[in-house]
Amino acid sequence: WCPPEDTESPPMLVQGVLNFTLFIKTFIEFPLFGVKNKNMVDNLKPCIFDPIYNKDCPIFTIDYILNQAEDDSTERDLMLRYGGVVNIKLHWDCNLDRSVKLCKPEYTFTRLDAPFREKPFSIGYNFRYTSTWKQNEEDFRTLTKAYGLRFIISTSGNAGKFNFITLTLNIGSLIGIFGIATFVCDVIIFRLSKRAGVNRNFVFEKVHWKKGFNATLDQSKLRIERNEDQLLNDVPNVDK
């Protein structure tokens, strides 16, 4: 700077700046569903945003934005004089099973620059620019340091729609998870736990198959012999 910057005199405050308005116009698209939407109604009329009575209006006053972004009135006054950075976020949460016109964004306002009470190295928000002109064949240049409010607008969102195929896949995955859980529990209880042997004795019954097989054969032979005796007794005696 030539001459050096005058840091003692505070910047001038623009009168009535709190009544200035900001018109936010955004469009979103969900390519997966082929849906597009915007943050304002088709027949938009002059309005001012109100969180209760006029939520569909995309026009905000500077006063409302600063009140939402900063609670301290002293900080707000310093932001008007030395500038500041405010993030305006629009978040969409859309249920596409209903009409897309019912999908409206939610606005949140966050201050991004460091508060003045923390005495940062660079306060507020400012930028410098030059203007040149010529007078009496002599070139002049003016360096200007301007303070102001900078608004950063970001958009995020998610959307969902019922799909029978997706529902079927989720149910199948859930059933598979239950089956795996049962298998893992059996391995832990009957193989890995300290009382695995006791648990197996409670659940399973040991059978000696050789003894059981021989006993089954003996019972079968006994039944056959009984059936033969019964048949012989049922045949009537015939005199020859």
Side-chain angles (χ1 to χ4, degrees):
W1 293 82
C2 184
E5 178 182 353
D6 183 9
T7 58
E8 295 183 358
S9 58
M12 297 178 60
L13 179 63
V14 179
Q15 299 297 324
V17 67
L18 293 177
N19 295 324
F20 290 2
T21 57
L22 178 66
F23 177 34
I24 301 176
K25 184 178 181 181
T26 61
F27 296 86
I28 62 167
E29 180 181 5
F30 299 104
L32 182 62
F33 305 104
V35 174
K36 297 181 181 180
N37 199 9
K38 54 186 177 181
N39 68 322
M40 58 183 181
V41 296
D42 295 331
N43 53 346
L44 182 64
K45 298 179 181 179
C47 60
I48 298 296
F49 177 85
D50 186 273
I52 298 176
Y53 302 105
N54 205 353
K55 298 176 62 176
D56 294 335
C57 181
I59 303 175
F60 301 83
T61 62
I62 302 299
D63 184 32
Y64 178 81
I65 295 175
L66 292 181
N67 286 330
Q68 294 296 314
E70 178 57 60
D71 297 330
D72 191 346
S73 59
T74 303
E75 290 286 328
R76 291 197 299 268
D77 293 339
L78 292 174
M79 289 177 67
L80 291 175
R81 187 173 295 276
Y82 293 99
V85 183
V86 177
N87 178 42
I88 303 175
K89 183 176 181 180
L90 288 77
H91 180 71
W92 303 75
D93 190 4
C94 300
N95 180 6
L96 299 182
D97 290 324
R98 304 184 300 172
S99 174
V100 69
K101 294 183 179 181
L102 298 177
C103 180
K104 303 295 181 181
E106 293 184 0
Y107 298 89
T108 55
F109 305 88
T110 308
R111 182 181 178 183
L112 299 182
D113 62 300
F116 296 96
R117 57 179 174 271
E118 297 180 1
K119 298 181 179 180
F121 174 76
S122 178
I123 61 174
Y125 174 76
N126 59 78
F127 59 94
R128 296 172 173 84
Y129 65 93
T130 63
S131 57
T132 59
W133 73 94
K134 182 178 291 188
Q135 184 178 5
N136 298 327
E137 301 300 327
E138 185 177 359
D139 294 329
F140 293 89
R141 183 182 68 168
T142 300
L143 301 176
T144 304
K145 182 179 181 181
Y147 296 87
L149 296 172
R150 181 181 181 183
F151 300 106
I152 300 176
I153 300 176
S154 59
T155 304
S156 64
N158 51 66
K161 191 175 184 179
F162 176 77
N163 188 288
F164 181 76
I165 296 177
T166 304
L167 176 64
T168 305
L169 293 175
N170 291 336
I171 293 175
S173 301
L174 186 62
I175 294 174
I177 291 174
F178 285 154
I180 294 175
T182 304
F183 173 75
V184 172
C185 291
D186 290 343
V187 171
I188 294 174
I189 293 174
F190 300 129
R191 298 296 178 185
L192 303 180
S193 65
K194 295 181 179 180
R195 297 174 56 86
V198 178
N199 295 332
R200 287 197 298 269
N201 292 333
F202 276 109
V203 176
F204 302 106
E205 181 180 358
K206 294 182 179 180
V207 177
H208 299 284
W209 68 274
K210 289 185 177 180
K211 294 182 179 180
F213 182 71
N214 294 331
T216 303
L217 289 177
D218 294 338
Q219 292 179 1
S220 299
K221 291 179 180 180
L222 181 60
R223 289 175 183 173
I224 292 173
E225 292 176 355
R226 289 179 179 177
N227 291 335
E228 290 179 352
D229 294 339
Q230 185 176 0
L231 289 174
L232 292 175
N233 293 330
D234 292 340
V235 175
N237 294 327
V238 179
D239 295 334
K240 295 183 180 179

